Amino acid sequence: MHRELLQWIEIDASALAANLALFRAVVPPSARLMLVIKANAYGHGLAEIVGLARSLPVDVLGVHALDEGVAARRSGWPGPIFVLGYVPAARLGDALLHDLDLTIVDLAMLTAAEEVGRAAGRPIRGHLELETGTHRQGMGPEEFALALQRISEGRGVALAGLSTHFANIEDTTDPSYARGQLAIFEALTAPVARAHPAVVRHTACSAAALNLPETSFDLVRVGIGAYGYWPSRETRVTFRARQSEGNLRPVLSWKARIGQVREIAAGAYVGYGCTERVSRATRMAVLPVGYADGFDRGLSRTGHVLVTGHRARVLGRVCMNIVMVDVTDAGPVAAEDVAVLLGTSGGEHLDASDLAAILQTIPYEILARLSPDIPRFVVDAEATSQEPDPAVLA
Ligand SMILES: *Cc1c(COP(=O)(O)O)cnc(C)c1O
């Protein structure tokens, strides 16, 4: 498989479908489902995920940057796209050109959007983001009141939505801070929602959608969960306590072709800095993957990859484009065999949560930093599970 490639990423279409089906099942039917595809669809490949989303229960795409919205349009997405991040004033016209909804973060951005909408003779669709306690992007109650007033005077922005974002919903089983934010949001937006029923209210990320149905409103914004990862251990614990069924399956696997297999004498040093000295005669595989690809340098000496169903530890430092691993105990291994950096090999499994634990970060970061240059392929693991790749399951 992919004989000509050094490394590639496989996207499991059936896992993405199953994860979205789980969200569809737990989120109230009245709420629409947004799939968040920022950061190259959490490293999965924007074009690949948009292609799949068209035949899945996805109503809206969410992006961070305007250009991601343009890319989603170019990939053929016909439905709504909400830009969740800031857009420079000089680019606001492109929102009209590509029919993108914008997040309005303050009065200055509203003013700039109004000018563009007025000049075009067609209002920009804007969502006002409200400050409810995260203190990230957004406007407080006084600014919100002024913004509503200005929009009602019809100056080039049409009120499409009202949003906020939770501060502390992943890292805790205690939802009290989130409930406080929810109460503020509800108090500020309920009168607007009554007067303008078409305005889309949205607050929920994956963790909120899974565990706090009262945050769903008209739309939930699902990122990490759709890609098969729990937002945190606490989210999984809380979900398990509330629901007996339902699991998430990682969508992405990352594979690389072994370039060389070598025997190293006991006592030899491996790699830059002489940080690793092998204590036994060691069989070592050299992989054409490094920190430039998203295999973090913090995995030096501590990370593993999977080779022929065995865990192979990283030897020495991770280089820019190369990493060495110990395959002494992995059975017969040869150049051109496939190593699994994320995914399953034989009975062994490694995912972004495992790497995140070593690196003291979150799976989001592991996925988002996978180089966009790695080729992505859509596969259907359910359809192909009868025929495992012999190179992987030797
Ligand atoms: C990234 C993001 C989300 C998705 O969060 P997940 O935890 O990945 O589901 C939702 N809303 C906003 C505003 C975001 O920036």
Side-chain angles (χ1 to χ4, degrees), residues 104-107 110 114 128-131 138-153 155 159 162 187-189 191-192 196:
I104 308 282
V105 302
D106 58 16
L107 285 176
L110 179 62
E114 282 174 331
L128 302 181
E129 179 159 10
L130 300 185
E131 178 57 69
M139 57 182 88
E142 296 81 18
E143 211 175 357
F144 174 53
L146 287 170
L148 284 177
Q149 180 60 36
R150 292 250 304 265
I151 288 174
S152 71
E153 289 159 13
R155 296 195 198 161
L159 183 64
L162 300 169
L188 286 171
T189 62
V192 188
H196 306 279

Coordinates of all heavy atoms in Angstrom, one line a residue, residues 104-107 110 114 128-131 138-153 155 159 162 187-189 191-192 196:
I104 N -18.8 38.4 15.0 CA -18.5 39.8 15.3 C -18.0 39.8 16.7 O -18.8 39.5 17.6 CB -19.7 40.7 15.1 CG1 -20.3 40.4 13.7 CG2 -19.3 42.1 15.3 CD1 -19.6 41.1 12.5
V105 N -16.8 40.2 17.0 CA -16.2 40.2 18.3 C -16.3 41.5 19.1 O -16.3 41.5 20.3 CB -14.7 39.7 18.3 CG1 -14.6 38.3 17.6 CG2 -13.8 40.7 17.7
D106 N -16.5 42.6 18.4 CA -16.6 43.9 19.1 C -17.2 44.9 18.2 O -17.5 44.7 17.0 CB -15.3 44.3 19.7 CG -14.2 44.5 18.7 OD1 -14.5 44.6 17.5 OD2 -13.0 44.6 19.1
L107 N -17.5 46.1 18.7 CA -18.1 47.2 17.9 C -17.2 47.6 16.8 O -17.7 48.0 15.7 CB -18.4 48.4 18.8 CG -19.7 48.2 19.7 CD1 -19.8 49.4 20.6 CD2 -20.9 48.0 18.9
L110 N -17.8 45.3 14.1 CA -19.2 45.5 13.6 C -19.2 46.7 12.6 O -19.8 46.7 11.5 CB -20.1 45.8 14.7 CG -21.6 46.0 14.3 CD1 -22.2 44.9 13.6 CD2 -22.4 46.4 15.6
E114 N -20.2 46.6 8.8 CA -21.3 47.4 8.3 C -20.9 48.2 7.0 O -21.7 48.3 6.1 CB -21.8 48.4 9.4 CG -22.6 47.7 10.4 CD -22.9 48.7 11.6 OE1 -22.1 49.6 11.8 OE2 -24.0 48.5 12.2
L128 N -23.0 37.6 16.9 CA -22.4 38.4 18.0 C -21.9 37.4 19.0 O -22.6 36.6 19.5 CB -23.4 39.3 18.6 CG -24.0 40.4 17.6 CD1 -25.0 41.3 18.4 CD2 -22.9 41.2 16.9
E129 N -20.6 37.4 19.3 CA -20.0 36.6 20.3 C -20.0 37.3 21.7 O -19.5 38.4 21.8 CB -18.6 36.1 20.0 CG -18.0 35.2 21.1 CD -16.9 34.3 20.7 OE1 -16.4 34.4 19.6 OE2 -16.6 33.4 21.5
L130 N -20.6 36.6 22.7 CA -20.8 37.3 24.0 C -19.8 36.8 25.0 O -19.5 35.6 25.1 CB -22.2 36.9 24.5 CG -23.4 37.4 23.6 CD1 -24.7 37.2 24.2 CD2 -23.2 38.9 23.3
E131 N -19.4 37.7 25.8 CA -18.5 37.5 27.0 C -19.4 36.9 28.1 O -20.3 37.6 28.5 CB -17.8 38.8 27.4 CG -16.9 38.6 28.6 CD -15.9 37.5 28.4 OE1 -15.0 37.7 27.6 OE2 -16.0 36.4 29.0
G138 N -14.8 38.3 22.4 CA -16.3 38.6 22.6 C -16.6 39.9 23.2 O -15.6 40.7 23.6
M139 N -17.9 40.2 23.3 CA -18.3 41.5 23.8 C -19.1 41.4 25.1 O -19.9 40.5 25.2 CB -19.1 42.3 22.8 CG -20.3 41.6 22.2 SD -21.1 42.6 20.9 CE -20.2 42.0 19.4
G140 N -19.0 42.3 26.0 CA -19.7 42.4 27.3 C -21.1 42.9 27.0 O -21.5 43.3 25.9
P141 N -22.0 42.9 28.1 CA -23.4 43.3 28.0 C -23.6 44.7 27.4 O -24.5 44.8 26.6 CB -23.9 43.2 29.4 CG -22.9 42.6 30.2 CD -21.6 42.6 29.5
E142 N -22.8 45.7 27.8 CA -23.1 47.0 27.3 C -22.8 47.1 25.8 O -23.6 47.7 25.0 CB -22.2 48.1 28.0 CG -22.5 48.3 29.5 CD -21.9 47.2 30.3 OE1 -20.9 46.6 29.8 OE2 -22.3 47.0 31.5
E143 N -21.7 46.5 25.4 CA -21.3 46.5 24.0 C -22.3 45.7 23.2 O -22.7 46.1 22.0 CB -19.9 45.9 23.8 CG -19.1 46.5 22.7 CD -17.7 45.9 22.6 OE1 -17.3 45.2 23.5 OE2 -17.0 46.3 21.7
F144 N -22.8 44.6 23.7 CA -23.8 43.8 23.1 C -25.1 44.6 22.8 O -25.7 44.6 21.7 CB -24.1 42.6 24.0 CG -25.2 41.7 23.5 CD1 -25.2 41.2 22.2 CD2 -26.3 41.3 24.3 CE1 -26.3 40.4 21.7 CE2 -27.3 40.5 23.9 CZ -27.3 40.0 22.6
A145 N -25.5 45.4 23.8 CA -26.7 46.2 23.7 C -26.6 47.2 22.6 O -27.4 47.4 21.7 CB -27.1 46.9 25.0
L146 N -25.4 47.9 22.5 CA -25.1 48.8 21.5 C -25.1 48.2 20.1 O -25.6 48.7 19.1 CB -23.7 49.5 21.7 CG -23.7 50.5 22.9 CD1 -22.3 51.0 23.2 CD2 -24.6 51.7 22.6
A147 N -24.5 47.0 20.1 CA -24.4 46.2 18.8 C -25.8 45.9 18.3 O -26.0 46.1 17.1 CB -23.5 45.0 19.0
L148 N -26.6 45.4 19.2 CA -28.0 45.1 18.7 C -28.7 46.3 18.2 O -29.4 46.3 17.2 CB -28.8 44.5 19.9 CG -28.5 43.1 20.4 CD1 -29.3 42.8 21.6 CD2 -28.8 42.1 19.2
Q149 N -28.5 47.5 18.9 CA -29.1 48.7 18.5 C -28.7 49.1 17.1 O -29.5 49.4 16.2 CB -28.7 49.8 19.5 CG -29.3 51.2 19.2 CD -30.8 51.2 19.2 OE1 -31.5 50.4 20.0 NE2 -31.4 51.9 18.3
R150 N -27.4 49.0 16.9 CA -26.8 49.4 15.6 C -27.3 48.5 14.5 O -27.7 48.9 13.4 CB -25.3 49.3 15.6 CG -24.7 50.4 16.6 CD -23.9 51.4 15.8 NE -22.9 50.8 14.9 CZ -21.6 50.7 15.3 NH1 -21.2 51.1 16.5 NH2 -20.8 50.1 14.5
I151 N -27.4 47.2 14.7 CA -27.8 46.2 13.7 C -29.3 46.5 13.4 O -29.7 46.4 12.2 CB -27.6 44.8 14.2 CG1 -26.1 44.4 14.2 CG2 -28.4 43.8 13.3 CD1 -25.7 43.1 14.8
S152 N -30.1 46.8 14.4 CA -31.5 47.0 14.1 C -31.7 48.3 13.3 O -32.8 48.4 12.6 CB -32.2 47.2 15.5 OG -31.9 48.4 16.0
E153 N -30.7 49.2 13.2 CA -30.9 50.3 12.4 C -30.5 50.0 10.9 O -30.5 50.9 10.1 CB -30.0 51.5 12.9 CG -30.6 52.0 14.2 CD -29.6 52.8 15.1 OE1 -28.5 53.1 14.6 OE2 -29.9 53.1 16.2
R155 N -27.6 48.7 9.1 CA -26.5 49.4 8.5 C -25.5 48.4 7.8 O -24.3 48.7 7.7 CB -25.7 50.2 9.5 CG -26.5 51.3 10.2 CD -25.6 52.2 10.9 NE -26.2 53.1 11.8 CZ -25.6 53.7 12.8 NH1 -24.3 53.4 13.0 NH2 -26.2 54.5 13.6
L159 N -28.3 40.2 11.6 CA -28.1 39.4 12.8 C -28.4 37.9 12.5 O -29.6 37.6 12.3 CB -28.9 39.9 14.0 CG -28.6 39.1 15.3 CD1 -27.2 39.3 15.8 CD2 -29.6 39.6 16.4
L162 N -26.1 34.3 17.8 CA -25.6 34.8 19.0 C -24.8 33.6 19.6 O -25.3 32.5 19.7 CB -26.7 35.2 20.0 CG -27.6 36.3 19.5 CD1 -28.8 36.4 20.4 CD2 -26.8 37.6 19.4
A187 N -29.8 34.9 29.9 CA -30.4 36.2 30.3 C -30.2 37.2 29.2 O -31.1 38.0 28.9 CB -29.8 36.6 31.6
L188 N -29.0 37.2 28.6 CA -28.7 38.3 27.6 C -29.5 38.0 26.3 O -29.9 38.9 25.6 CB -27.2 38.3 27.3 CG -26.4 39.0 28.4 CD1 -24.9 38.8 28.0 CD2 -26.6 40.5 28.4
T189 N -29.6 36.7 25.9 CA -30.1 36.4 24.5 C -31.6 36.0 24.4 O -32.1 36.1 23.3 CB -29.3 35.3 23.9 OG1 -29.4 34.1 24.7 CG2 -27.8 35.6 23.9
P191 N -34.4 37.5 25.2 CA -35.3 38.5 24.6 C -35.1 38.6 23.1 O -36.0 38.7 22.3 CB -34.9 39.8 25.3 CG -34.2 39.5 26.5 CD -33.5 38.1 26.2
V192 N -33.8 38.5 22.6 CA -33.5 38.6 21.2 C -34.1 37.4 20.5 O -34.7 37.5 19.4 CB -32.0 38.7 21.0 CG1 -31.7 39.0 19.5 CG2 -31.4 39.7 21.9
H196 N -36.6 37.5 17.5 CA -36.1 37.0 16.2 C -35.8 35.5 16.2 O -34.7 35.1 16.4 CB -34.8 37.8 15.9 CG -34.9 39.2 16.0 ND1 -35.4 40.0 14.9 CD2 -34.5 40.1 17.0 CE1 -35.3 41.3 15.3 NE2 -34.8 41.4 16.5

